[in-house]
Each structure stands twice: as structure tokens, then as C-alpha cells.
Amino acid sequence: MKRALCLIFAILFLLPALACRPSGNVYEHDRFSLALPEGWARVNVESVVCFAKDGKAAGKSNISFYVTEKNYYFDEFTAADYAAFAPPEAGYTDISNVQLENLRIDSWKAHRVSMQAKIGKDTVTLVLYAIDAEETLFFVLLQGPGESYVAFFDRSMRGIDIK
């Protein structure tokens, strides 16, 4: 009887831990752990932290990571400030539908910014998460036309482990 109760308690405590694990493969970085869509891997380019399907980002949806020194003006960032991160020089034009949401990620203040932009003749979706941790961390999803990674990216970002 005691063995059965111990087993039941073990299962009860183990289930939430298993259920909270993100689906897909998890990438471990010195600064974070992030779930990636199945089949995605780090792009094989030095000094860039970028992920894409099969590790090839050219012309495809991808997730990029950037880190800067802590920004003490984080609370003052606006949607327009973030839209300026997608400048025409980088190939982005016709930026629209810019939306900013304040939230907390892994106990840190964060912003979620989404927008539409054109790259050439294609309309893409950009979703940026800025996390005001000991440094300012930026995760950007560029989603190409006809693809649907935003919901997965949102779930992954809400479950990210900042180290």
C-alpha cells in the first residue's frame, strides 16, 4: 500500500514537470534555454546566433538572438522605437500593424512587439521579444509568407529559461 501511494505521489509530481516542457528540440545557450520548432537548428555561421529549419536561414523563417548592455530606458521604449529596428537599409519596407505588449518573462520585464513588413515583394511577420534582464536580450522571429511559427515562438518565449 505504501509503495502504491509513493508511486501515485511520484506520478503526480512528475506530470506537471513533463507537461510544462516545451515541445520541439531545446537549444542550450550560456544565457538561455529555448525550445525550437521540430527540425530547426542553429545556422552554421560564426558570431551569429540564428536558428532556422534544417539550419539554413536564407530566404526562410528564422529566429535570431541579440544581446546588448542593460538599457536603463527600457520602460520608455515605444512601438515606433522597435519599428525603427527594421530599417529600409536591411531590406524592410512598408512596416505596418506594429503592436507592443508589456509582459514578464522568467520574472523579467519584457516587451512583445509584432509587425508586418515587406522584403522585396513578400510580406513577412516580425515578432520581437525584448527582455530587460541583467543585459537586454532580444529574440526576433522573421516569419516568411505562408508559414506559421508565431504561436510556437510565443509559447517558447513564455517558457524560456534566462540564465
Side-chain angles (χ1 to χ4, degrees), residues 31 38 52 69 89 96 112-113 151 153:
R31 292 183 168 106
E38 202 60 47
E69 292 180 10
E89 304 84 52
S96 62
R112 181 193 184 275
V113 182
F153 185 57

Side-chain angles (χ1 to χ4, degrees), residues 2-153:
K2 276 187 177 178
R3 240 182 238 172
L5 280 175
C6 287
L7 182 59
I8 290 171
F9 280 114
I11 291 171
L12 287 174
F13 285 105
L14 191 60
L15 282 177
L18 293 174
C20 292
R21 287 189 183 159
S23 59
N25 49 331
V26 176
Y27 180 81
E28 296 289 338
H29 187 275
D30 291 343
R31 292 183 168 106
F32 63 88
S33 295
L34 178 67
L36 298 171
E38 202 60 47
W40 280 43
R42 182 160 179 188
V43 174
N44 192 17
V45 177
E46 259 186 70
S47 73
V48 175
V49 179
C50 180
F51 310 95
K53 189 169 181 95
D54 302 322
K56 298 175 184 128
K60 295 182 179 180
S61 295
N62 62 73
I63 297 170
S64 300
F65 166 72
Y66 307 92
V67 63
T68 65
E69 292 180 10
K70 183 162 183 72
N71 192 313
Y72 293 97
Y73 298 100
F74 188 84
D75 292 331
E76 297 177 22
F77 286 176
T78 66
D81 293 330
Y82 285 110
F85 283 117
E89 304 84 52
Y92 299 103
T93 60
D94 300 329
I95 296 168
S96 62
N97 301 326
V98 182
Q99 298 175 3
L100 174 98
E101 176 186 355
N102 291 301
L103 47 115
R104 287 205 167 273
I105 294 187
D106 199 20
S107 78
W108 300 99
K109 288 188 290 184
H111 294 151
R112 181 193 184 275
V113 182
S114 63
M115 64 186 88
Q116 303 291 308
K118 286 212 178 239
I119 296 180
K121 56 187 171 187
D122 292 328
T123 299
V124 298
T125 300
L126 292 164
V127 178
L128 175 143
Y129 278 84
I131 303 171
D132 186 30
E134 292 174 11
E135 300 166 300
T136 304
L137 309 173
F138 297 94
F139 295 85
V140 182
L141 168 70
L142 179 135
Q143 178 178 276
E147 297 184 300
S148 58
Y149 294 108
V150 172
F152 186 95
F153 185 57

